[in-house]
Amino acid sequence: MSESILIVDDDHTLGEELGKALVSAGYTPHRCTSVPEARQVWNKTKFDLCFVDIVMPGPSGKVFCREVRERSDAAIIMMSSLSDQDTIIALLDIGADDYIVKPFTFPEMLARARAVLRRRKDHTQQYTASAIQIGDWTFDLQLRRISNIKGLTVPLTQSEAAVLRFFAQSPGVVFSREDILAVARTRQHAGKDDRSVDTLIKRLRRKIEIEPSNPIHIMTEWGKGYTFQN
């Protein structure tokens, strides 16, 4: 049975050409043009590999990469015209197996696909952590609460827990308001000027920061969004 590959890219021409190349190589591709569409398809089909563009309307490919890595050992190759080292390192840190810069040749793309699929078969990863340490706090992922050695326990809302987990598992990566809202599932699409995420961040800072007005964990990246440091 051929490996099943998900393509997530709003570039219809590239998606179609990539799909044809994969079919010719013996794979079974499925194309999506947005993260919300990819989520729906993902819940119905088991994929061995995902090709994911970074910048798309709505939630970014970074969000989908993190979501896939949290619940699957499927291989992930990120695609973008961005070629700076910081971007590549950040994406590898949040769970991508490889990164390919656009424009690319299809022989190169197929070689990378074969390589990551081979590595995944040899090194299947399990993501079963039940708690994450954040400074003096222990974040219980199952019970959605944080506690410290002094015995203080603070409950988190579903949105707070989802965003804190996303941050903690992606340290140093800058996420936009739209990315964070997508993780919180406040809505599927949000504009860059939406301020509801700022309220959510303020609530989280009050719960985990020693001085919420001078945070050391959830940091503001002016004009870009937020990043997490542990």
Side-chain angles (χ1 to χ4, degrees):
M1 184 176 180
S2 65
E3 283 97 341
S4 183
I5 298 179
L6 178 63
I7 304 167
V8 189
D9 196 321
D10 62 327
D11 186 329
H12 293 273
T13 300
L14 176 61
E16 183 176 353
E17 293 178 350
L18 179 53
K20 290 179 180 178
L22 290 168
V23 169
S24 298
Y27 299 108
T28 302
H30 190 110
R31 292 166 48 207
C32 295
T33 58
S34 69
V35 169
E37 181 186 1
R39 285 172 177 154
Q40 294 178 3
V41 172
W42 181 267
N43 290 332
K44 299 175 183 178
T45 307
K46 176 176 171 49
F47 291 99
D48 301 290
L49 167 63
C50 302
F51 280 98
V52 185
D53 188 31
I54 297 178
V55 181
M56 291 177 283
S60 75
K62 291 183 294 184
V63 171
F64 189 65
C65 175
R66 180 71 264 172
E67 291 175 350
V68 169
R69 184 51 64 238
E70 285 180 355
R71 52 184 175 167
S72 171
D73 64 352
I76 304 170
I77 297 178
M78 301 300 293
M79 308 181 292
S80 176
S81 58
L82 302 173
S83 59
D84 62 283
Q85 190 175 42
D86 289 343
T87 296
I88 296 173
I89 291 173
L91 287 166
L92 294 175
D93 282 343
I94 66 173
D97 294 278
D98 201 354
Y99 183 94
I100 189 166
V101 178
K102 296 179 178 180
F104 49 78
T105 65
F106 291 121
E108 178 190 6
M109 175 274 296
L110 291 172
R112 289 174 182 265
R114 289 192 298 268
V116 297
L117 286 169
R118 187 167 56 247
R119 290 198 299 268
R120 279 288 161 184
K121 288 178 181 178
D122 294 339
H123 304 285
T124 301
Q125 297 181 0
Q126 300 296 327
Y127 293 85
T128 57
S130 61
I132 299 174
Q133 197 67 31
I134 301 174
D136 293 333
W137 295 99
T138 298
F139 175 21
D140 190 312
L141 303 177
Q142 302 300 319
L143 298 179
R144 291 207 318 255
R145 67 186 186 187
I146 56 175
S147 57
N148 60 22
I149 58 175
K150 297 179 180 179
L152 179 63
T153 298
V154 180
L156 301 172
T157 67
Q158 184 173 350
S159 293
E160 290 169 350
V163 171
L164 185 58
R165 176 174 181 167
F166 190 70
F167 270 142
Q169 292 178 330
S170 310
V173 179
V174 178
F175 291 105
S176 67
R177 289 184 173 86
E178 191 169 60
D179 290 339
I180 297 168
L181 283 170
V183 172
R185 301 299 171 90
T186 302
R187 67 180 73 165
Q188 288 190 333
H189 296 280
K192 66 179 181 179
D193 295 323
D194 191 293
R195 312 306 296 185
S196 59
V197 70
D198 298 330
T199 300
L200 189 153
I201 294 298
K202 287 180 181 178
R203 294 203 312 264
L204 276 176
R205 282 175 170 166
R206 292 193 191 106
K207 292 183 176 182
I208 71 168
E209 301 283 4
I210 297 175
E211 296 182 42
S213 60
N214 186 29
I216 61 173
H217 295 300
I218 302 177
M219 313 295 291
T220 301
E221 292 286 336
W222 297 107
K224 297 181 181 180
Y226 296 92
T227 186
F228 182 84
Q229 305 293 334
N230 202 351

